[in-house]
Amino acid sequence: MTGDEAAATRPRRPLRADARRNEDRLLEAAAAAFERDGAGASVKDIARSAGVGVGTLYRRFPSKELLVAAIYRLEVERLCEAAPRLAGELPPPDALRAWMERFIDFMAAKEGMADALRAVLSDDDEKLETRAMLAGAIDHLLTPAGGPSAARPEITSEDVLMALGGISLMAGAEGRRELASRLIDLLLHGIVKP
């Protein structure tokens, strides 16, 4: 890890409101650029799309890998934060299905970032933390607060997560998003109590 990368991973002071807005715009622009252009996305184009200078981008994210890591973490957090919201709005099976669809879309969006993500996900701690966060979101959907579990007793969040990973890989390899939805229906049939 370079000195810049080590500095970027240290705990930071909270950002001023304008710096927070700049960072949010950078992450949104970068996510769109990586999804569209893959690992070859131009940092100059990302900065321009975010309405900031390239120096601002590099001060916050000294390398493209750190930018990818930040996007990935933000999107995992958003995906996990959707679970309690969906559980509060929909019946348990519908909430689980809606979250699974979001998961598949999240994974499909990461295809353009696959090469850059390999470096991020080579860290075992990062992988374990991400898996724990996603499993926690699934747990929230399998057993809603104050309600009975919608899932068969033998089903675990890890089972669901692994099955969704497989669905994502198959649908992605085939280039068929609709296949993922059909496979989610099959998966739900095996998860939800009759």
Side-chain angles (χ1 to χ4, degrees):
M1 182 179 294
T2 68
D4 287 340
E5 289 171 336
T9 60
R10 282 188 215 123
R12 300 180 291 152
R13 294 184 313 225
L15 295 174
R16 295 182 332 259
D18 61 330
R20 174 90 250 157
R21 283 189 301 274
N22 284 344
E23 183 173 299
D24 291 344
R25 287 195 313 265
L26 276 169
L27 292 173
E28 294 297 329
F34 284 119
E35 186 176 340
R36 182 185 60 247
D37 303 328
S42 162
V43 292
K44 288 180 183 178
D45 290 344
I46 291 169
R48 189 176 317 111
S49 293
V52 301
V54 74
T56 298
L57 185 149
Y58 278 121
R59 268 191 305 282
R60 181 59 196 95
F61 304 105
S63 71
K64 198 180 271 192
E65 290 77 20
L66 289 172
L67 180 58
V68 168
I71 294 165
Y72 178 75
R73 286 185 196 103
L74 176 66
E75 292 185 356
V76 167
E77 287 172 13
R78 286 179 178 169
L79 182 61
C80 292
E81 288 167 359
R85 190 171 54 254
L86 290 168
E89 296 170 358
L90 300 168
D94 296 339
L96 182 58
R97 185 181 207 304
W99 191 87
M100 289 176 166
E101 292 284 354
R102 287 181 185 212
F103 178 89
I104 297 299
D105 291 340
F106 164 77
M107 294 298 288
K110 299 299 146 274
E111 283 185 32
M113 296 171 31
D115 291 337
L117 272 175
R118 280 188 190 79
V120 173
L121 295 178
S122 65
D123 178 25
D124 287 337
D125 290 339
E126 182 82 29
K127 280 192 280 193
L128 291 173
E129 182 180 342
T130 299
R131 185 176 289 173
M133 289 174 65
L134 293 170
I138 293 168
D139 278 336
H140 195 90
L141 292 160
L142 293 177
T143 309
S149 175
R152 298 172 192 265
E154 68 275 12
I155 301 296
T156 69
S157 58
E158 285 286 325
D159 296 336
V160 176
L161 187 56
M162 297 304 274
L164 283 172
I167 289 171
S168 174
L169 287 173
M170 287 185 290
E174 294 287 321
R176 296 173 50 205
R177 175 58 178 86
E178 82 286 353
L179 175 61
S181 293
R182 289 202 329 266
L183 293 173
I184 284 173
D185 287 337
L186 288 172
L187 177 59
L188 277 171
H189 183 71
I191 293 172
V192 176
K193 292 178 187 175

